Amino acid sequence: MTQNSSINSFTPPTTIGFVGLGNMGYAMANRLAEAGYTVTVADLNQDAVKQFCAESGATAADSLQALGAQSDLVITMLPEGNAVRKVLLGEGDNVVSGLKDGAVLIDMSSCSPVDTRVLGEELLAQGFVMIDAPVSGGKYKAADGQLAIMAGGDLEIVERCRPVFEILGKLFHTGGPASGHAMKAMNNFLSAGTLALTAEAVITGSKFGLDPEVMVNIINASTGRSNSSEDKFPKFVLPKTFNSGFYLGLMAKDLRFAVDLAESENTPNGFINLLSGLYDKAEKDLGFEADNTELFNYLESLVESEE
């Protein structure tokens, strides 16, 4: 089976199979349906599938094999790489068993770049190209089509998929296969780091007597500012809503991917290891589905336990 990348790009009403209707996937698939694509969906949560189809006019796939057979393009948006592998190549029902010649796979999940390299090679051996295109921005930007999309893989295939990507956000081509997942791991390492650092600064300053809101305002007018201080603290931490829409457990998972990447490339990893350990402990204490901004609560609890 050969991949013909010279055919037209994927524009509406191209049929897209979308697997994964979680916080992010639901909003992303909805944007594609609203843009005129023919969307076929699958998810373990059948209630989410029924609700999505009722709201969007999409079709529920009878099986993963059927979804593959009906789709010119298949997008996976799943919690981690093992789930992606199972959906695409797992024993029994899977997407690839039904996939037609010329179809393209896009994995928009956050996965280990090391594992993605292996999966991509296995798929290519069966005649199918996979683009790894993880996203950043959370569920609110997913709903608004303002995600940052980090696409790794053959540039010609990425360009064929550009119309789809541009419905979802801003496209960046990161390089060869698995480079998108590598970029996502490094981005989330930095995102998690600035959240933890800002939290420690605000907790320490507050303990001394500084007003947290004044601190954040000054940080945002100074050199210590970051997305965490400019966005997460004013919106989710200071008001104590803690509802950014991204699970703490998912951030902990992404940091483990960052650790794996640093180890595979034999690069300095002191900060990555330290931060990953911190988030693992916070996840154990607060639970997988705690909002990632609740790391602030975890760090505050450490102060209280020492008093």
Side-chain angles (χ1 to χ4, degrees):
M1 190 178 295
T2 59
Q3 191 64 236
N4 180 6
S5 60
S6 64
I7 63 176
N8 293 334
S9 60
F10 295 115
T11 56
T14 295
T15 299
I16 297 177
F18 201 105
V19 185
L21 297 176
N23 281 341
M24 298 283 288
Y26 197 104
M28 293 162 66
N30 187 59
R31 286 194 60 82
L32 295 174
E34 288 180 341
Y37 286 95
T38 302
V39 179
T40 303
V41 297
D43 193 281
L44 290 175
N45 184 344
Q46 289 303 304
D47 289 338
V49 170
K50 290 176 183 177
Q51 180 180 336
F52 182 82
C53 291
E55 292 176 353
S56 67
T59 301
D62 293 330
S63 65
L64 291 174
Q65 183 181 50
L67 181 144
Q70 295 162 7
S71 304
D72 302 301
L73 178 70
V74 175
I75 296 174
T76 48
M77 186 62 180
L78 298 165
E80 43 79 35
N82 288 332
V84 175
R85 172 176 285 278
K86 184 176 180 180
V87 161
L88 297 182
L89 289 174
E91 292 185 9
D93 185 32
N94 65 58
V95 168
V96 169
S97 64
L99 213 56
K100 52 193 175 185
D101 189 19
V104 171
L105 301 166
I106 303 178
D107 180 29
M108 304 192 78
S109 320
S110 292
C111 301
S112 164
V114 178
D115 293 342
T116 294
R117 271 183 177 166
V118 175
L119 177 60
E121 289 169 359
E122 291 177 22
L123 290 167
L124 194 59
Q126 296 196 35
F128 298 106
V129 171
M130 184 179 77
I131 300 298
D132 54 295
V135 299
S136 180
K139 66 178 183 180
Y140 299 110
K141 288 191 175 182
D144 293 338
Q146 296 181 4
L147 294 169
I149 302 168
M150 308 159 226
D154 183 88
L155 178 58
E156 187 176 357
I157 304 296
V158 171
E159 286 300 321
R160 282 185 63 202
C161 300
R162 179 176 287 277
V164 175
F165 288 135
E166 290 185 340
I167 297 297
L168 304 175
K170 185 175 182 179
L171 174 65
F172 298 89
H173 181 237
T174 53
S179 64
H181 281 148
M183 184 65 238
K184 176 65 183 289
M186 294 299 94
N187 177 77
N188 276 18
F189 161 50
L190 292 172
S191 178
T194 60
L195 178 61
L197 289 168
T198 307
E200 285 198 6
V202 170
I203 290 168
T204 302
S206 300
K207 181 79 170 172
F208 186 78
L210 290 169
D211 183 306
E213 186 172 351
V214 172
M215 285 191 70
V216 170
N217 287 339
I218 293 172
I219 290 167
N220 286 337
S222 306
T223 56
R225 67 187 180 275
S226 65
N227 173 264
S228 292
S229 67
E230 292 178 337
D231 186 71
K232 296 185 180 72
F233 268 75
K235 290 182 180 178
F236 312 117
V237 178
L238 295 181
K240 298 189 181 299
T241 57
F242 302 110
N243 60 347
S244 72
F246 189 68
Y247 290 153
L248 177 65
L250 291 176
M251 185 64 87
K253 175 207 67 174
D254 287 349
L255 286 168
R256 291 191 288 272
F257 295 157
V259 169
D260 290 345
L261 180 59
E263 289 179 351
S264 75
E265 302 305 310
N266 196 30
T267 55
N269 58 9
F271 287 118
I272 293 176
N273 288 342
L274 182 66
L275 193 63
S276 181
L278 173 64
Y279 273 79
D280 284 344
K281 291 175 183 176
E283 179 190 356
K284 183 177 180 180
D285 189 70
L286 300 179
F288 182 93
E289 294 188 358
D291 194 85
N292 82 104
T293 57
E294 291 186 67
L295 179 77
F296 185 88
N297 292 337
Y298 172 72
L299 292 173
E300 272 198 323
S301 74
L302 298 183
V303 176
E304 294 168 359
S305 67
E306 293 174 0
E307 292 180 345

